[in-house]
């Protein structure tokens, strides 16, 4: 039997996949969630369910070899993100560090900036974090704050920390992503270029997170981008979903955002230049660190998308 892995947000889209992966590999799981647990967990003695509202209290983490902190809010303004994501993050990781567990934070590539980045540049873990979080959306700001607090807690307690930054995770019931552009009914308006979509199939994300929790760690703090090997461009993504796209020139999108820059604080996220570049700029991505951790792709893009659609 493997070491105990604690998973917050265990009832969520990503959390359930992590729990399933951990159990498949023989690890007892402490599944921490706010709502009801999936019915099938009741038949598995290797899953200990702890119901908790992390905005108020953190359940015991003593005895866990690692804590995968996946609980977070996907949407909402800064107030909601501070209450439901940033504050619980600090409480969970502080308690995990005091318990002697390895810390695994589920962050996002949304924390990355594009200042000084040229089109078709290769993005990896050395790419700087967004230097102007005030110009991004509340989700990106919350993820940046989570990483900042996680690093401080790890240093304070001498705890091992892995920050895992998944790309856009897709799986059953969640196929679309914010990197595609603007959707108008059945039509998608997006940039015309051969840049890669930073995708991560749900099964791959769970695999990488479990590796982050269990694989030997040399450095006190490690950052790992969780991305598929096979990263399609937008045309290939639309074809897999049998959707129509109206491709427009990337420079037109960028120029329009530049013209609107003086009004950015009052504009929706995608019309702010920093957000638009983070989502739509033609880029390449690197997942070499995930491979050094032990990641092995289990499907190409079309097979993964077909599996996601078939299980939806």
């Amino acid at each position: 039997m493997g070491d105990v892995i604690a998973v917050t947000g265990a009832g969520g889209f990503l959390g359930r996949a992590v729990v399933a992966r951990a159990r498949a590999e023989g690890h007892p799981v402490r599944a921490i969630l706010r709502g009801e647990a999936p019915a099938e967990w009741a038949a598995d003695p290797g899953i200990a369910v702890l119901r908790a509202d992390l905005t108020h209290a953190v359940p015991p983490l003593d005895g866990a070899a690692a804590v995968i902190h996946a609980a977070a809010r996907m949407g909402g303004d800064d107030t909601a993100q501070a209450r439901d994501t940033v504050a619980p993050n600090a409480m969970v990781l502080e308690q995990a560090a005091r318990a002697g567990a390895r810390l695994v934070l589920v962050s996002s590539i949304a924390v990355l900036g594009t200042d000084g980045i040229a089109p078709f540049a290769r993005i990896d873990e050395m790419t700087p974090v967004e230097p102007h979080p005030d110009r991004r959306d509340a989700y990106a700001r919350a993820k940046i704050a989570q990483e900042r607090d996680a690093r401080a807690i790890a240093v304070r307690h001498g705890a091992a920390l892995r920050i895992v930054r998944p790309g856009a995770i897709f799986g059953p019931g969640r196929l679309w992503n914010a990197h595609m552009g603007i959707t108008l009914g059945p039509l998608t308006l997006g940039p015309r270029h051969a840049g890669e979509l930073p995708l991560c199939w749900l099964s791959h994300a769970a695999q990488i997170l479990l590796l982050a929790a269990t694989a030997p760690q040399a450095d006190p703090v490690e950052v790992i981008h969780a991305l598929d090997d096979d990263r399609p461009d937008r045309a290939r993504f639309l074809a897999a979903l049998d959707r129509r796209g109206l491709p427009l020139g990337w420079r037109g999108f960028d120029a329009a955002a530049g013209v609107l820059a003086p009004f950015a604080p009052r504009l929706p996220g995608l019309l702010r230049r920093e957000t638009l570049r983070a989502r739509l700029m033609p880029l390449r991505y690197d997942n070499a660190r995930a491979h050094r951790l032990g990641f092995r792709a289990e499907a190409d893009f079309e097979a993964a998308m077909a599996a996601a659609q078939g299980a939806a």
Side-chain angles (χ1 to χ4, degrees):
M1 182 175 289
D3 293 329
V4 174
I5 307 294
V7 181
T8 70
F13 177 70
L14 177 58
R16 288 191 188 200
V18 173
V19 170
R21 186 88 190 195
R23 291 299 300 130
E25 296 191 13
H27 294 278
V29 173
R30 201 172 301 173
I32 301 167
L33 70 169
R34 180 182 294 188
E36 294 288 339
E40 61 269 22
W41 287 2
D44 187 346
I47 302 176
V49 175
L50 298 177
R51 293 186 63 184
D53 181 348
L54 298 179
T55 64
H56 294 102
V58 179
L61 298 174
D62 297 326
V67 175
I68 300 175
H69 181 46
R73 188 182 181 101
M74 293 298 294
D77 60 14
D78 285 305
T79 300
Q81 286 288 350
R83 180 190 65 237
D84 297 336
T85 298
V86 180
N89 174 73
M91 292 194 298
V92 168
L93 297 184
E94 182 76 29
Q95 185 153 315
R98 288 178 177 172
R102 175 185 290 172
L103 315 181
V104 179
L105 170 64
V106 180
S107 183
S108 168
I109 62 163
V111 304
L112 302 178
T114 58
D115 272 13
I117 303 295
F120 295 103
R122 184 162 290 276
I123 302 301
D124 62 16
E125 290 84 355
M126 299 305 294
T127 301
V129 169
E130 172 61 66
H132 306 292
D134 57 303
R135 301 177 190 173
R136 297 287 297 277
D137 57 34
Y139 175 80
R141 284 192 288 273
K143 288 298 179 185
I144 291 169
Q146 280 190 288
E147 290 197 10
R148 176 202 64 212
D149 293 347
R151 288 177 183 274
I153 290 166
V155 169
R156 185 162 60 248
H157 293 280
L161 166 66
R162 278 187 168 132
I163 297 171
V164 179
R165 295 173 179 161
I169 301 175
F170 69 97
R174 187 182 296 179
L175 305 178
W176 201 246
N177 66 79
H179 297 269
M180 288 305 299
I182 301 168
T183 300
L184 300 173
L187 190 64
T188 300
L189 279 67
R192 180 181 61 246
H193 59 62
E196 298 175 351
L197 288 172
L199 302 185
C200 189
W201 183 33
L202 181 62
S203 293
H204 288 162
Q207 180 193 154
I208 293 169
L209 283 166
L210 192 61
L211 285 167
T214 59
Q217 183 169 342
D219 297 323
V221 177
E222 294 180 359
V223 178
I224 299 154
H225 287 182
L227 297 163
D228 292 340
D229 287 352
D230 187 14
R231 298 177 291 274
D233 61 16
R234 286 164 178 78
R236 191 172 156 209
F237 184 90
L238 288 171
L241 290 179
D242 196 23
R243 293 188 60 145
R244 294 169 52 214
L246 178 59
L248 303 173
W250 152 251
R251 294 191 184 280
F253 276 95
D254 194 41
V259 170
L260 294 171
F263 311 100
R266 300 190 296 276
L267 294 174
L270 198 56
L271 296 180
R272 300 176 190 172
R273 197 168 202 177
E274 287 77 10
T275 298
L276 181 138
R277 287 188 166 207
R279 294 182 185 177
L280 303 185
M281 189 177 186
L283 296 168
R284 308 289 187 193
Y285 295 88
D286 187 285
N287 66 350
R289 284 196 188 178
H291 277 280
R292 288 198 293 272
L293 193 67
F295 169 61
R296 295 294 179 268
E298 299 169 353
D300 64 12
F301 167 66
E302 278 77 15
M305 182 58 78
Q309 290 173 302

